Amino acid sequence: MSTTLRFKMVEEAFDRKAMPVETPATRPEQYYGELVFNRQQMFKYLPKKIYDALIDAIENKKPIDRQLADSIADGMKRWAIDNGARHYTHWFAPLTGGTAEKHEAFVEHDGKGGMVEEFSGKLLVQQEPDASSFPNGGIRNTFEARGYSAWDISSPAFILDQTLCIPTIFISYTGESLDYKTPLLRSINAVDKAATAVARYFDPEVKHTISYLGWEQEYFLVDESLYSARPDLVMTGRTLMGHESAKNQQLEDHYFGAIPSRVEAFMLDLEIRCHRLGIPVKTRHNEVAPNQFELAPIYEEANLANDHNLLLMSVMNEVARRHNFRVLLHEKPFAGVNGSGKHCNWSLGTDRGAQLFAPGRTPMDNLRFLTFFVNTMAAVYRHNALLKASIMSATNAHRLGANEAPPAIISVFTGSHLAEVLKHLEESDAADLTDLKKQSGYSLGLSQIPELLLDNTDRNRTSPFAFTGNRFEFRAVGSSANCASAMLVINTAVAEQLCEFKKKVDARVEGGENLTDAILNEVRELVKATKAIHFDGNGYSDEWKEEAKRRGLDCETSAPLIFDAYLKPESVKMFESMGVLSEAELIARNDVKWEMYTKKIQIEARVLGDLALNHIIPVATRYQSLLVDNVIKLRSIFGDRADEMARCDLETIENIAQRMSNIKTTVASMVSARKRANALTDEREKAIAYHDNVVPAMEMIRYNIDKLELMVDNEMWPLPKYRELLFIR
């Protein structure tokens, strides 16, 4: 690609005006949720008796019968048609990591040669996608196609591009989960039951505990024309080569900076679309790296929040293309600058309005807070390897451990104030804990429990699992991930821990202790037992890596080996005892994880090999030939003096030759390693072979190509460079 052509593409991208946004004439509160079959629309389109029965089923997690489903389907169809829908689909999240849908029209034969618009309860409640065509880990053979999608009544239907989308679970014909929603819902039920039982120590009127999620979605934008000129971006979502720009993020001038007008137009368009779909997006800003941005919503119930994040990722791509952008959700699309995560803020609250991770101003509120806080620490400690496995992937492996994201070691940050409280609990039997808010001198009247304060310490961006005032922020989740993968693990782990905690507290009470002392004594034991997971220091430091090993925390960095945590006996026991995933489902999911890891690296390796041999080498050879021709001409004119005059050219010729030789040799080695790995039949062994043998070769190929980029004539270089991709004006 010539400099003229490449610069023309860049200039067109920079000069393109921001696309006008079709802004509704009304304020957000007037069009918010207008494409969602929410309670307002249910009340309008359903008979009162049917509406009451559906709300009761949603709130109390009851099944609905087929007659009720028929009435709901009729009202839902009328609402959808009134809002321009022509088709309906069951919308689910298979183990691909994305979403899936098959559209059906609202039509049936009328028996008279015509058609009628029809939608029954049977079609609403259940459909039959092909269960062998999605990743299933060997649960379904290719010739065994039957699987089921089933309506999730707790997540409202919505209209997307004239199609009624009905959120559903996806299971095999034999009943195993083939999606993320099914185990997420099971984990939500598990933590509801376990946390409610413990919450009733403090409020006997509690009926349910709700798991909340607030995600923060980071992403990159690149101009569509430049994106199309990068086969690696198109095929893999990241740049497999490219020398860093002289200016990237080192001046720290992009974070929270003024949003470029084209980007702001995209953001506004996206926000309007999200609000119409009931996604409560609220925050937007520039992130650290050039062309990197973030948006975040108001917190919601975890299942609904997860559906909204999946929907957002789909909508983002569509809106971006209308603005001549492409969204990059890969965790590390550009080397040398920050990658993208999706911080998952997780908390628990009761149906009585209590936030279980919110410190309070009464002794019992604070005892409740400490109870749930320390039990969560214990759950994270017991299953720290599993939590890491829940967020690991071929793409997130590029981001974890870099000095931009949490390390690949799970720890809990508490902050100095809470650390002092825990220290007092651990060291004192009588627990004469005075108020730690020194300036107020306020006493709560219960010596064991001081008043606890919100936001009483700095935040720690190096902590994978940080307490941030009234919630835990799981910062290690990747930008492209389905949040459910992480949320179902933390919900299940906490549910298991709370069940054990309650058994021990009840045993103490039966042994004669009063309830407050029994709770406090068990909390104290957990504080002592979980000291290893508590770390408030610099997670990026080499010292912490050594310290974490001494503490017995999981320090594995190989993605295929990290996945082993799902099949550890303690993990299988936890998932099965809480009714979230069976051992067969766990085995199948791990096969999918290893297979997906292999396939993603395999695709990257094939793309990189093609680009190296068919794009980079020919251009480098052509430029080298020009230099050789120049040296020959100099010698014909200047004779022996020419070698000194052409010394720089001769060095460049030699350097290019060496780089090309390295590239060709390493590509051949990579292809051989790939073939050897492909011959393996065990998915785990294949993934390990790709990690150990193919990935290092890819890194070496990239290193040599990036060196060539600095030598070859800019006009001849075939791909848009980082300095062109990374800056939107």
Side-chain angles (χ1 to χ4, degrees), residues 248-441:
N248 47 53
Q249 66 186 51
Q250 67 266 46
L251 294 180
E252 301 169 339
D253 56 344
H254 187 67
Y255 188 57
F256 279 21
I259 300 172
S261 59
R262 285 182 62 209
V263 176
E264 189 168 11
F266 155 76
M267 288 178 168
L268 176 58
D269 203 358
L270 178 61
E271 286 172 1
I272 292 170
R273 189 78 185 278
C274 286
H275 288 160
R276 296 183 70 203
L277 288 165
I279 306 173
V281 294
K282 180 179 178 67
T283 302
R284 66 186 191 192
H285 61 81
N286 290 2
E287 257 299 333
V288 172
N291 280 24
Q292 188 184 33
F293 308 94
E294 180 183 298
L295 81 162
I298 301 169
Y299 286 29
E300 297 178 287
E301 183 274 327
N303 177 46
L304 179 59
N306 191 62
D307 280 354
H308 280 165
N309 183 251
L310 292 171
L311 179 56
L312 169 89
M313 290 193 288
S314 175
V315 169
M316 286 177 79
N317 284 298
E318 178 193 335
V319 175
R321 296 192 71 172
R322 291 214 307 266
H323 291 261
N324 301 301
F325 286 126
R326 283 300 185 110
V327 171
L328 303 181
L329 292 176
H330 193 289
E331 283 74 10
K332 193 73 170 179
F334 302 102
V337 298
N338 278 18
S340 296
K342 178 153 48 192
H343 303 172
C344 287
N345 296 275
W346 172 82
S347 63
L348 296 173
T350 71
D351 59 341
R352 301 261 293 165
Q355 291 299 313
L356 299 179
F357 294 128
R361 292 184 177 274
T362 69
M364 291 309 291
D365 283 349
N366 285 320
L367 181 56
R368 180 185 62 203
F369 160 72
L370 287 172
T371 296
F372 283 93
F373 179 89
V374 174
N375 272 281
T376 299
M377 280 187 65
V380 173
Y381 177 49
R382 291 175 64 180
H383 297 289
N384 67 94
L386 181 60
L387 276 171
K388 181 165 62 177
S390 75
I391 52 84
M392 180 51 70
S393 66
T395 53
N396 206 23
H398 294 281
R399 170 177 165 265
L400 293 181
N403 286 354
E404 63 188 62
I409 302 169
I410 301 297
S411 62
V412 175
F413 169 81
T414 67
S416 57
H417 180 78
L418 194 48
E420 280 295 313
V421 174
L422 299 179
K423 182 179 179 182
H424 277 284
L425 278 172
E426 177 192 0
E427 295 177 351
S428 173
D429 291 332
D432 184 16
L433 302 179
T434 57
D435 174 34
L436 299 181
K437 188 177 178 182
K438 301 300 183 182
Q439 65 270 32
S440 69

Side-chain angles (χ1 to χ4, degrees), residues 136-139 175-177 183 186 563-592 594:
N136 61 71
I139 285 177
E176 294 91 354
S177 163
R186 292 171 181 166
F563 295 146
D564 287 344
Y566 276 100
L567 300 180
K568 289 183 176 180
E570 58 269 30
S571 299
V572 175
K573 179 183 176 182
M574 178 194 78
F575 281 120
E576 289 197 323
S577 66
M578 294 295 103
V580 174
L581 287 166
S582 68
E583 185 173 11
E585 288 173 317
L586 288 167
I587 292 171
R589 282 165 185 267
N590 254 35
D591 272 355
V592 171
W594 285 315

Side-chain angles (χ1 to χ4, degrees), residues 535 538-550:
F535 179 66
N538 179 11
Y540 294 160
S541 68
D542 292 334
E543 291 79 7
W544 165 236
K545 295 174 186 176
E546 295 302 318
E547 173 64 21
K549 289 179 183 178
R550 288 193 292 271

Side-chain angles (χ1 to χ4, degrees), residues 230 241-244 704-714 717 721-723:
R230 290 286 311 221
M241 61 189 71
H243 198 281
E244 66 179 0
N704 283 282
I705 290 176
D706 289 356
K707 292 296 184 182
L708 278 180
E709 184 182 319
L710 298 178
M711 290 183 270
V712 173
D713 185 350
N714 185 69
W717 195 252
K721 297 183 177 181
Y722 273 24
R723 66 170 181 264

Side-chain angles (χ1 to χ4, degrees), residues 19 64 72 74 282 440 451 456 474 522 539 542 595 607 690 711:
M19 179 179 176
I64 62 173
I72 297 169
D74 180 68
K282 180 179 178 67
S440 69
E451 177 185 1
N456 195 32
F474 198 4
E522 277 305 314
D542 292 334
E595 184 180 10
V607 171
Y690 265 87
M711 290 183 270

